[in-house]
Amino acid sequence: MKKLKNLGPGLLFAGAAIGVSHLVQSTRAGADFGLGLIWALILVTLFKYPFFQYGPRYAAATNESLLDGYKKLGKGTLVAYYILTLGTMFVIQMAVTIVTAGIASSLFYEFNPLEIGPITINSVQIWSVIILGICICLLLLGKYKLLDNLIKVIIVTLSVSTILAVIMAFLNNTSALSIAQVLPENSIEIAFLIAFMGWMPGPLDISVWHSLWTLEKKKNQTEFSTKGALFDFNVGYIGTIILGIGFVLLGALVMFSSGETFSGSAGIFAGQLIDMYTTSLGNWAYIVIGVAAFTTMFSTTLTTLDASPRSMDRTSELLVNKSFKNGYLFWIILLSMGTIYIFLFLASEMGLLIKIATILSFITAPFYAIINYILISGTHTPKEWRPSIILHVLSWLGILFLIGFSIWYLTTL
């Protein structure tokens, strides 16, 4: 019971990971390929495992975040992280927020479009602003403790509803379900495969966020040991894999060979997504499943809005050797304003923007994999918490896997 009570950062990891990669990419994988891409889901989660795990492992063992470790590897490593994060955080925040807004728009009610000069703001954009505003208030008022408590309720709600939906989909399914695995061939299918793996179960920079959350947890939970941090991580990670397979199954059972395809519009896509669940469970479950889908994406929006400013604030402090009293506040406002700016001009291109964000995440994955491995294997980590032989081998294979697939994608452009 004590271990379960100490769960926190691992569930925040799950909350950040179980979002676009699961609700959007996994259901599309099932709808377009049936169970044909299960191999990709299993491989990418296996080969990414050690690099995600090194975040909480390093933080719990050294009482430092990965960012502090990056600085020890050389200031250039920290600068590279700063540039990569600055270049991707707005698109990533936009992607998760607009899906959340699309679900809210579909689930609750439509706002009438607003006319502001030459700009027309639709209901999804309005919901995006509302959701960002709520998240900012929660984070500034509730801080980490709120995240830690809220995520437990959200993950339980999501897990129960998703497993129930899969069971009902199986019971209602009348056609044979093939487990034959496929390898995408044309450029469009390959691009989807890379996008699918890019955020499955999440982008590797979540390892940095996880290390920061682990330190916050240790401030509030004195018994949160390194072993406890690894147990906490494994619970969250296994959960993301199980739910990822669940969403692929839902896409395959409900939409595969149906002739229906997902829309690139956030509002229409959200309606299709909720209909997929209610087709499996029945109309009585529309509100229940709609709320579950919304809370899933809301948790992702909330955790990413906390994590990116938290990491950029700490990176800035390390780069200039100076603490900033309102650094977190500055970054969270900047991220929110930048995200809203993107909404005003690119909201109708949700599908394209999500693809760009996921592909960027996959292409930059080798960078995070290599520096996390170097840091956890070197003298900056206590000897007893360095990787085992099995983790060493899995890390080498993972680095080769991530580099190989990135090269494969770039040569098919």
Side-chain angles (χ1 to χ4, degrees):
M1 288 298 295
K2 184 178 291 187
K3 284 187 176 180
L4 295 177
K5 183 180 179 181
N6 288 342
L7 293 179
L11 297 184
L12 285 173
F13 166 86
I18 302 171
V20 173
S21 62
H22 290 63
L23 286 174
V24 180
Q25 303 297 74
S26 293
T27 49
R28 279 182 169 169
D32 295 342
F33 298 92
L35 300 183
L37 292 185
I38 290 292
W39 68 268
L41 186 153
I42 293 174
L43 274 183
V44 77
T45 52
L46 174 65
F47 287 135
K48 282 185 176 181
Y49 171 81
F51 311 117
F52 281 123
Q53 192 225 64
Y54 294 157
R57 178 187 285 261
Y58 181 81
T62 65
N63 288 317
E64 293 181 345
S65 70
L66 282 180
L67 295 172
D68 295 87
Y70 292 170
K71 185 178 181 180
K72 291 180 178 180
L73 294 179
K75 199 170 183 178
T77 303
L78 199 59
V79 171
Y81 171 82
Y82 186 91
I83 294 173
L84 285 175
T85 303
L86 189 63
T88 59
M89 67 179 190
F90 295 102
V91 175
I92 290 173
Q93 188 65 50
M94 183 283 311
V96 299
T97 306
I98 202 169
V99 174
T100 311
I103 294 174
S105 177
S106 176
L107 183 62
F108 298 107
Y109 62 92
E110 295 280 351
F111 283 100
N112 292 322
L114 295 178
E115 299 285 344
I116 302 178
I119 301 175
T120 299
I121 304 177
N122 61 39
S123 62
V124 172
Q125 293 167 320
I126 295 173
W127 270 114
S128 298
V129 175
I130 293 173
I131 290 167
L132 283 175
I134 292 173
C135 288
I136 290 174
C137 291
L138 290 174
L139 291 172
L140 294 181
L141 296 176
K143 303 186 185 297
Y144 175 82
K145 188 174 182 180
L146 173 68
L147 279 175
D148 191 63
N149 293 327
L150 182 60
I151 199 65
K152 294 172 183 176
V153 176
I154 292 173
I155 293 299
V156 169
T157 301
L158 169 63
S159 300
V160 171
S161 62
T162 302
I163 292 172
L164 180 60
V166 172
I167 292 173
M168 294 302 295
F170 266 117
L171 293 177
N172 294 334
N173 184 51
T174 57
S175 58
L177 190 62
S178 173
I179 61 174
Q181 301 300 288
V182 299
L183 183 66
E185 297 179 355
N186 61 56
S187 59
I188 295 177
E189 291 181 346
I190 292 174
F192 174 78
L193 175 65
I194 299 300
F196 175 53
M197 293 192 297
W199 270 1
M200 179 54 64
L204 274 185
D205 51 340
I206 293 182
S207 61
V208 175
W209 306 352
H210 199 160
S211 70
L212 292 166
W213 287 326
T214 298
L215 295 179
E216 289 295 326
K217 181 69 173 182
K218 291 192 74 172
K219 291 178 183 177
N220 298 281
Q221 190 82 41
T222 55
E223 298 181 10
F224 194 69
S225 64
T226 304
K227 285 186 178 180
L230 295 179
F231 174 80
D232 172 62
F233 167 76
N234 286 331
V235 169
Y237 200 78
I238 292 172
T240 64
I241 297 173
I242 293 173
L243 292 178
I245 294 174
F247 283 111
V248 172
L249 281 168
L250 283 173
L253 290 167
V254 177
M255 295 188 70
F256 185 56
S257 300
S258 67
E260 185 177 0
T261 58
F262 282 117
S263 170
S265 166
I268 297 175
F269 169 81
Q272 291 176 312
L273 182 66
I274 296 173
D275 287 343
M276 181 184 72
Y277 278 99
T278 54
T279 298
S280 301
L281 293 174
N283 292 331
W284 63 270
Y286 180 87
I287 296 297
V288 175
I289 298 304
V291 170
F294 172 76
T295 54
T296 301
M297 287 308 306
F298 182 79
S299 72
T300 307
T301 303
L302 185 64
T303 50
T304 54
L305 191 63
D306 170 77
S308 292
R310 190 182 295 274
S311 62
M312 289 300 284
D313 178 36
R314 182 57 183 159
T315 304
S316 300
E317 290 180 343
L318 290 169
L319 286 175
V320 300
N321 295 316
K322 179 182 178 181
S323 296
F324 297 102
K325 182 179 180 181
N326 296 312
Y328 177 79
L329 176 63
F330 167 80
W331 282 105
I332 199 172
I333 292 176
L334 179 64
L335 178 58
S336 300
M337 296 303 294
T339 302
I340 291 172
Y341 179 81
I342 294 175
F343 288 153
L344 297 178
F345 300 99
L346 298 173
S348 62
E349 301 296 333
M350 183 197 74
L352 175 62
L353 290 169
I354 290 175
K355 185 179 294 185
I356 291 172
T358 51
I359 289 173
L360 283 174
S361 295
F362 191 86
I363 292 176
T364 58
F367 166 77
Y368 292 107
I370 292 170
I371 60 176
N372 283 5
Y373 176 67
I374 292 174
L375 181 61
I376 204 70
S377 303
T379 57
H380 301 301
T381 303
K383 190 173 182 180
E384 63 269 27
W385 295 115
R386 295 174 195 170
S388 63
I389 293 177
I390 293 176
L391 276 179
H392 274 298
V393 173
L394 188 56
S395 296
W396 298 334
L397 293 175
I399 290 171
L400 291 175
F401 173 82
L402 293 171
I403 292 176
F405 263 90
S406 295
I407 293 174
W408 181 40
Y409 171 70
L410 292 174
T411 55
T412 58
L413 290 176

